[in-house]
Amino acid sequence: MKSRPDFNFEGESLPPGQNPPLSAYPPVTGSSTPLSPRGDYCPPNTPRARLYGIKAVIFDMDGVLLDTESICDRTWEIAAGEMGVRNSKAEEAISKCRGTNKNDTREILKNLFGETFNTDAFMARTSQLFKKIEENEGIQKMYWAKEALTELKGKFPLALASSTRKEAVTRQMKNAGLYDFFDLVITGDMVKHSKPDPEIYRLAVDQLAEKTGLDLSYNYCAAVEDSLNGIRSASKAGLKTIMVPDRMKPNDECRNLCAAIIPDLSSLPGLLGV
């Protein structure tokens, strides 16, 4: 399991193992303020209050449940160097493509590097490097991923909405022992445009509603994301978005779009009133 991040939801340093008291609210009798599912008071204009009434939770995979983003960054830097791309351009490409599927990644790379850039060769090389690292080193689970899913399972319908292709998602999630927590899995090869387009989250909610028989509206579903593209996607779809920072720290746009920003997944069950 990946160690806990050493910054809190505002990007400030935090002592190892210390969690902010996001759910330590005392019970209040007779209050008109909504209560959480476990019956405790939700002060107004807090993350808990903004997430009141959530009926389902949809997770991103890369950088939220599995520590794949750090591997992707390594492979992109190596492949970019081999193809003569300078570091600053490689970093820009990594940032813009984080959370997108292969089709959208190709378009972004062409816009950045020009029509003559061999995007297929670049992406084939990054895939080759990723596979080698995965085979040699494995993929770690993100901090508290399995524990959070264990606490949420049975309390909410759970879905996965990942821009990664189905074959890789299935293999990686099964190897991590996380696949069976989910009632539904939506992947990047099931949509025309992935994040930041809202299609993948709308599809996840629609299919989850059909599968569970629940009346799910977008604004009563929570999305758990780590990237700006993912946050934009979920927000455009109408979901209440929770950011768990990984490779990027929250900026003003993240703060404006998110219902909550938490340091790691250990805070998620309490935030949702479990």
Side-chain angles (χ1 to χ4, degrees), residues 59-125:
F59 285 81
D60 175 45
M61 182 184 77
D62 298 301
V64 172
L65 298 172
L66 299 182
D67 185 24
T68 47
E69 296 286 12
S70 63
I71 300 175
C72 287
D73 288 4
R74 288 163 62 188
T75 65
W76 277 52
E77 288 166 2
I78 293 169
E82 291 174 350
M83 297 183 72
V85 177
R86 64 181 186 273
N87 286 343
S88 59
K89 271 293 186 181
E91 290 170 2
E92 183 182 358
I94 291 169
S95 177
K96 288 188 174 183
C97 293
R98 201 178 300 283
T100 62
N101 65 7
K102 284 187 175 294
N103 289 336
D104 292 336
T105 296
R106 285 188 180 92
E107 292 303 313
I108 293 169
L109 292 175
K110 286 180 181 178
N111 290 334
L112 278 176
F113 302 140
E115 291 291 332
T116 59
F117 183 76
N118 194 336
T119 56
D120 287 337
F122 176 81
M123 293 173 70
R125 179 58 174 153

Side-chain angles (χ1 to χ4, degrees), residues 128-142:
Q128 181 187 47
L129 291 165
F130 190 102
K131 184 179 180 181
K132 184 176 180 180
I133 294 172
E134 182 180 355
E135 290 174 349
N136 292 340
E137 302 176 20
I139 298 174
Q140 294 187 69
K141 292 186 287 290
M142 296 298 288

Side-chain angles (χ1 to χ4, degrees), residues 4-271:
R4 185 185 183 279
D6 61 356
F7 58 87
N8 69 9
F9 52 90
E10 294 299 330
E12 300 164 353
S13 61
L14 198 69
Q18 179 180 324
N19 291 320
L22 291 174
S23 58
Y25 300 128
V28 174
T29 305
S31 170
S32 60
T33 304
L35 299 179
S36 79
R38 66 183 181 193
D40 51 358
Y41 173 57
C42 292
N45 198 30
T46 63
R48 286 277 300 285
R50 289 193 288 271
L51 289 161
Y52 175 76
I54 289 299
K55 295 181 179 180
V57 185
I58 303 175
F59 285 81
D60 175 45
M61 182 184 77
D62 298 301
V64 172
L65 298 172
L66 299 182
D67 185 24
T68 47
E69 296 286 12
S70 63
I71 300 175
C72 287
D73 288 4
R74 288 163 62 188
T75 65
W76 277 52
E77 288 166 2
I78 293 169
E82 291 174 350
M83 297 183 72
V85 177
R86 64 181 186 273
N87 286 343
S88 59
K89 271 293 186 181
E91 290 170 2
E92 183 182 358
I94 291 169
S95 177
K96 288 188 174 183
C97 293
R98 201 178 300 283
T100 62
N101 65 7
K102 284 187 175 294
N103 289 336
D104 292 336
T105 296
R106 285 188 180 92
E107 292 303 313
I108 293 169
L109 292 175
K110 286 180 181 178
N111 290 334
L112 278 176
F113 302 140
E115 291 291 332
T116 59
F117 183 76
N118 194 336
T119 56
D120 287 337
F122 176 81
M123 293 173 70
R125 179 58 174 153
T126 59
S127 294
Q128 181 187 47
L129 291 165
F130 190 102
K131 184 179 180 181
K132 184 176 180 180
I133 294 172
E134 182 180 355
E135 290 174 349
N136 292 340
E137 302 176 20
I139 298 174
Q140 294 187 69
K141 292 186 287 290
M142 296 298 288
Y143 180 78
W144 217 255
K146 190 168 187 177
E147 292 84 350
L149 291 172
T150 300
E151 291 190 50
L152 295 177
K153 183 68 174 174
K155 314 285 194 315
F156 300 95
L158 301 179
L160 191 71
S162 173
S163 296
T164 302
R165 67 192 187 281
K166 182 177 181 179
E167 180 274 327
V169 168
T170 303
R171 181 186 71 250
Q172 292 167 10
M173 290 292 285
K174 285 186 174 181
N175 286 343
L178 302 180
Y179 189 86
D180 290 337
F181 282 101
F182 293 93
D183 302 291
L184 177 74
V185 174
I186 301 294
T187 56
D189 44 8
M190 298 171 68
V191 294
K192 182 177 181 180
H193 293 295
S194 193
K195 308 166 187 180
D197 190 278
E199 180 184 359
I200 193 168
Y201 274 108
R202 288 177 179 163
L203 180 63
V205 173
D206 292 345
Q207 290 200 7
L208 191 61
E210 182 178 350
K211 186 168 186 177
T212 61
L214 296 174
D215 182 16
L216 297 178
S217 58
Y218 302 130
N219 63 321
Y220 280 105
C221 295
V224 186
E225 274 286 354
D226 69 302
S227 71
L228 183 55
N229 281 330
I231 291 166
R232 287 170 173 167
S233 172
S235 298
K236 287 177 186 176
L239 283 72
K240 303 287 180 63
T241 309
I242 301 166
M243 183 184 188
V244 188
D246 179 32
R247 305 300 286 181
M248 68 163 284
K249 294 182 180 181
N251 56 22
D252 288 341
E253 184 178 357
C254 296
R255 295 184 183 95
N256 289 334
L257 291 177
C258 289
I261 301 175
I262 58 177
D264 58 65
L265 290 172
S266 69
S267 299
L268 183 62
L271 182 65

